[in-house]
Amino acid sequence: MALDLIYARHRMVDNQLARRGIKDQNVLDAMRDVPREEFVDPGFEEFAYEDGPLPIGEGQTISQPYIVALMIEAAGIEPGDKVLDVGTGSGYAAAIMARIAGRVFTIERHAALGKTARRRFEKLGFDNIELRIGDGTKGWREAAPFDAIIVAAGGPGPPQMLMDQLDIGGRLVIPVGPEARSQRLLKITRTRGTKFEEEDLGGVMFVPLIGEQGWGEQRQADD
Ligand code: SAM
């Protein structure tokens, strides 16, 4: 079983990531290395390397491997970077980034998901991830500025507080759109003090970003 999962992990990297154009060697190496089966709910291990999202409880999902790779590659994360991850969920994306970056700060609004993710980080020996339960649309002011911020849930627009917590040259990758489950994936780069450049990376489908600078609680209840 364990060996099957290792083979499946390498096949996932070759077929779902490299073949679809993911080129960042750090991302490919990290995704060969981190066991995704440790980040899915018990009973879902055999599906860990399928080409799609999986349920993780609380109505949330662990994102499709390709989307995780696409967002991290777009954010241009490099060794030594300080990264903010909004929407910890299972913790998988934070773990991939922690293999590449210097430090990862990750925020989850559901306490139960945060608790499980924290246990996974401890079990797998990640000592460069800090996790907080709260509203990630407000960022993590004490740890700012960040080289990169990744948001794994879709909001109506890019939260100003996250843009303000980018370092000069920092990148924010976030799904944005008027509907809760259909967005454009944007890469916003802070080029100078108050100057930002925006790039549209294509259409995506994410769970809603619920918070002060996201959607209201009702948006999730309607889902
Ligand atoms: N990156 C995650 C992974 O690898 O499993 C995927 C996370 S899932 C697609 C999005 C997560 O964002 C959910 O766990 C949801 O509870 C969380 N979320 C939504 N709004 C949030 C907010 N304002 N602050 C923090 N987390 C939020």
Side-chain angles (χ1 to χ4, degrees):
M1 175 73 159
L3 206 56
D4 286 354
L5 288 172
I6 294 170
Y7 286 135
R9 190 185 317 147
H10 287 282
R11 268 200 311 275
M12 177 273 283
V13 172
D14 293 338
N15 298 339
Q16 300 173 33
L17 310 185
R19 204 167 283 175
R20 283 193 191 134
I22 301 296
K23 290 191 179 64
D24 186 327
Q25 199 55 49
N26 289 332
V27 175
L28 296 170
D29 288 348
M31 291 185 73
R32 281 192 199 282
D33 191 38
V34 174
R36 193 168 188 261
E37 66 271 19
E38 295 283 349
F39 292 85
V40 300
D41 282 359
F44 282 88
E45 292 87 349
E46 62 180 299
F47 307 114
Y49 296 102
E50 288 196 351
D51 191 12
L54 289 170
I56 54 170
E58 309 286 346
Q60 306 302 320
T61 52
I62 173 173
S63 305
Q64 179 191 19
Y66 174 69
I67 286 290
V68 173
L70 181 73
M71 292 180 84
I72 298 175
E73 179 173 73
I77 296 169
E78 291 184 357
D81 276 359
K82 187 165 51 163
V83 177
L84 177 66
D85 171 48
V86 175
T88 316
S90 68
Y92 179 67
I96 298 294
M97 292 191 276
R99 277 279 187 267
I100 305 169
R103 288 170 82 193
V104 175
F105 294 82
T106 182
I107 311 178
E108 171 55 51
R109 64 184 286 273
H110 284 291
L113 295 179
K115 199 171 153 197
T116 306
R118 184 175 280 128
R119 237 187 297 121
R120 289 172 176 144
F121 300 147
E122 281 165 12
K123 179 179 171 196
L124 295 170
F126 285 95
D127 57 6
N128 60 342
I129 304 178
E130 283 189 49
L131 184 148
R132 170 188 276 188
I133 304 299
D135 176 6
T137 66
K138 295 192 276 188
W140 192 316
R141 203 189 308 242
E142 313 87 274
F146 297 100
D147 299 296
I149 302 178
I150 289 224
V151 183
Q160 188 61 45
M161 284 164 121
L162 295 185
M163 291 171 61
D164 290 344
Q165 291 179 28
L166 283 176
D167 206 347
I168 306 299
R171 294 81 55 197
L172 166 66
V173 177
I174 180 169
V176 162
E179 287 170 46
R181 284 186 187 267
S182 161
Q183 306 94 8
R184 307 298 301 176
L185 186 62
L186 300 186
K187 173 181 177 180
I188 297 168
T189 306
R190 185 173 204 168
T191 51
R192 274 185 278 144
T194 55
K195 274 261 181 212
F196 295 88
E197 261 170 26
E198 195 176 292
E199 193 183 332
D200 186 335
L201 304 175
V204 285
M205 276 173 71
F206 274 87
V207 296
L209 179 68
I210 311 284
E212 195 176 300
Q213 300 205 356
W215 299 107
E217 294 280 344
Q218 190 55 35
R219 182 63 76 148
Q220 186 165 34
D222 289 346
D223 263 5

